[in-house]
């Protein structure tokens, strides 16, 4: 594995670069110089690093599709200048950003690694330094033939490199903040990097990367639970701007057998609302034909989200809705893997 030498480090904010507000005692984002001052190791990295900082730096709870478009521009405008990109980002919405970027960079041929930390970089026990250093190495890691080891949007955290659109924040306390429950890790970082070659995307290096900036956020996530009230669901589905719903169903994609629910969903679907069925379980997939309680949803033109994460399903809907005005086309693409975000079971 040969190291190349140019990585762009984009700082959006997040705990990694935060410090204590003296008045409130709460953590708030600080600027990039604070981060650099706390990482003297920067001087020893062989990779040449340029930096770009969001101004102001944000807590990632304030992330938005507009800022995703800003990230797309920052990378796209400098795409040829760098071997890889590292995005420092708060952990709270990192999985949403990673999923969105995986769709917004079509035919990505370079690594885009998102990372952050659970403890600020200025604290003694910080996990930020290792996450940052390993991410920079991973963003510049190349094969003998010069192609990058991980040419996709990924999240690096606590020794694991995960596909960005398969990752979920799973822990607000421990250092292992993320996992990809339905997809193997792309790389394990121990004493050495162990890449899981078969699980890494293989882009077409003869084709250009195509950046997409538009997202249509007329979408909602809604969760089923025992006792769901008809009128409330009706009001939600009646919102005139609504174009897409990620419905978090039970187990392998099941819903209560109450006629009003299927009727309301059918009616919304006929008005052009795309409903995607995603399981509330973190592992496993939607199989609407498995139980009667799931089968009824097939009739209502509901699309299977297979083994997708909620984060990837919502970002994919936003991306497709911006691209296609017609609901059937959005449904067709929802059923396909665009950036490795779902595994479609073989028909048997
Ligand atoms: N609230 C922080 C953020 O997402 C948490 C973190 O960075 O871990 O920006």
């Amino acid at each position: 594995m040969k190291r190349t030498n140019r990585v762009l480090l984009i700082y959006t904010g997040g705990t990694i670069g935060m410090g204590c507000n003296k008045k409130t005692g709460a953590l708030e984002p600080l600027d990039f110089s604070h981060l650099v001052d706390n990482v003297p190791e920067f001087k020893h990295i062989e990779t040449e690093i340029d930096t770009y900082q969001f101004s102001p730096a944000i807590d990632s709870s304030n992330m938005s599709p507009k800022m995703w478009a800003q990230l797309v521009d920052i990378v796209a405008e400098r795409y040829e200048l760098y071997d890889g990109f590292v995005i420092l980002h708060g952990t709270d919405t990192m999985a949403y950003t990673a999923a969105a970027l995986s769709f917004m960079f079509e035919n990505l041929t370079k690594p885009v690694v998102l990372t952050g930390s659970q403890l600020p970089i200025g604290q003694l026990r910080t996990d930020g330094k290792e996450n940052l250093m390993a991410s920079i190495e991973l963003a510049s890691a190349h094969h003998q033939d010069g192609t990058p080891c991980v040419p996709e949007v990924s999240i690096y955290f606590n020794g694991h490199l995960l596909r960005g659109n398969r990752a979920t924040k799973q822990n607000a306390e421990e250092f292992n903040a993320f996992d990809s429950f339905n997809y193997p890790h792309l790389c394990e970082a121990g004493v050495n990097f162990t890449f899981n070659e078969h699980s890494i995307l293989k882009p077409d290096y003869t084709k250009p990367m195509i950046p997409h900036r538009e997202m249509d956020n007329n979408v909602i996530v809604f969760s089923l639970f025992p006792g769901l009230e008809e009128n409330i669901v009706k009001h939600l589905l009646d919102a005139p701007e609504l174009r897409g719903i990620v419905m978090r169903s039970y187990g392998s994609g099941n819903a209560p057998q109450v006629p009003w629910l299927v009727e309301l969903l059918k009616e919304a679907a006929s008005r052009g609302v795309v409903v995607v069925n995603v399981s509330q379980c973190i592992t496993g997939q939607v199989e609407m034909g498995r139980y009667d309680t799931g089968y009824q949803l097939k009739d209502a033109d509901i699309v299977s989200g297979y083994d997708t994460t909620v984060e990837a399903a919502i970002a994919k809907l936003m991306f497709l809705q911006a691209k296609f005005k017609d609901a059937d086309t959005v449904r067709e693409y929802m059923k396909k893997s665009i950036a490795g975000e779902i595994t479609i079971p073989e028909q048997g």
Side-chain angles (χ1 to χ4, degrees):
M1 195 174 65
K2 139 180 172 284
R3 298 266 182 275
T4 49
N5 44 22
R6 283 201 96 186
V7 165
L8 181 65
L9 179 60
I10 303 166
Y11 173 60
T12 68
T15 297
I16 193 162
M18 286 189 186
C20 247
N21 178 311
K22 288 205 176 87
K23 258 196 203 149
T24 63
L27 288 172
E28 63 183 12
L30 298 177
D31 73 8
F32 193 70
S33 57
H34 164 82
L35 195 123
V36 175
D37 289 348
N38 279 288
V39 192
E41 290 84 351
F42 261 128
K43 291 190 206 89
H44 306 293
I45 304 174
E46 277 180 27
T47 310
E48 195 184 312
I49 302 165
D50 290 334
T51 58
Y52 185 102
Q53 100 148 294
F54 264 42
S55 186
I58 60 157
D59 184 299
S60 80
S61 301
N62 296 321
M63 191 40 79
S64 66
K66 245 197 189 148
M67 291 187 216
W68 292 339
Q70 202 182 329
L71 281 169
V72 167
D73 287 342
I74 295 166
V75 171
E77 283 161 14
R78 297 161 181 80
Y79 196 66
E80 296 310 324
L81 298 176
Y82 296 95
D83 301 293
F85 301 83
V86 173
I87 301 177
L88 295 179
H89 194 292
T91 56
D92 289 346
T93 60
M94 191 187 292
Y96 291 92
T97 298
L101 294 181
S102 77
F103 303 121
M104 295 166 96
F105 294 127
E106 185 180 334
N107 194 45
L108 185 67
T109 52
K110 298 191 176 184
V112 174
V113 186
L114 284 89
T115 195
S117 67
Q118 294 283 58
L119 281 177
I121 203 121
Q123 293 198 6
L124 267 184
R125 288 178 51 247
T126 188
D127 51 331
K129 279 190 193 175
E130 197 276 328
N131 285 348
L132 173 58
M133 295 305 154
S135 296
I136 291 171
E137 279 203 42
L138 284 163
S140 61
H142 278 67
H143 298 294
Q144 292 284 330
D145 68 357
T147 57
C149 293
V150 193
E152 56 175 284
V153 178
S154 58
I155 288 184
Y156 179 80
F157 230 88
N158 194 42
H160 311 300
L161 186 71
L162 315 173
R163 174 163 297 165
N165 57 33
R166 294 289 197 148
T168 293
K169 183 170 178 181
Q170 58 151 356
N171 205 318
E173 166 68 24
E174 295 172 8
F175 287 151
N176 59 336
F178 291 90
D179 211 339
S180 55
F181 294 94
N182 280 329
Y183 200 73
H185 297 171
L186 304 182
C187 176
E188 302 297 349
V191 173
N192 294 300
F193 285 144
T194 309
F195 291 97
N196 184 357
E197 293 292 342
H198 294 296
S199 303
I200 296 172
L201 289 176
K202 313 273 176 295
D204 182 344
Y205 289 102
T206 63
K207 290 200 181 130
M209 187 278 283
I210 303 170
H212 298 271
R213 321 180 67 256
E214 306 302 326
M215 295 296 254
D216 175 349
N217 58 353
N218 288 305
V219 292
I220 190 96
V221 179
F222 118 84
S223 229
L224 298 180
F225 58 90
L228 191 66
E229 197 18 76
E230 177 175 359
N231 257 334
I232 295 179
V233 178
K234 191 171 174 331
H235 283 300
L236 172 78
L237 297 185
D238 275 350
E241 301 81 7
L242 187 66
R243 289 192 66 199
I245 301 177
V246 173
M247 185 175 81
R248 298 183 66 236
S249 60
Y250 304 134
S252 55
N254 307 315
Q257 285 167 306
V258 282
W260 62 261
L261 181 61
V262 177
E263 277 318 308
L264 285 180
L265 291 171
K266 251 192 200 167
E267 203 266 324
S270 69
R271 270 188 289 124
V273 176
V274 176
V275 185
V276 186
N277 189 359
V278 172
S279 176
Q280 289 176 22
C281 299
I282 47 174
T283 309
Q285 62 173 313
V286 164
E287 273 179 83
M288 285 191 281
R290 186 141 165 207
Y291 295 92
D292 246 12
T293 43
Y295 194 81
Q296 55 168 351
L297 299 175
K298 279 188 152 182
D299 258 7
D301 218 359
I302 291 180
V303 181
S304 174
Y306 300 107
D307 59 350
T308 190
T309 60
V310 169
E311 295 90 330
I314 202 89
K316 188 173 173 183
L317 265 180
M318 286 192 203
F319 172 74
L320 292 175
Q321 287 177 184
K323 225 167 147 46
F324 305 108
K325 292 294 154 231
D326 149 61
D328 280 337
T329 314
V330 174
R331 284 191 190 101
E332 274 322 297
Y333 279 96
M334 281 308 294
K335 292 179 200 157
K336 294 181 186 158
S337 169
I338 301 179
E341 72 283 2
I342 49 174
T343 313
I344 302 179
E346 278 169 32
Q347 303 294 324

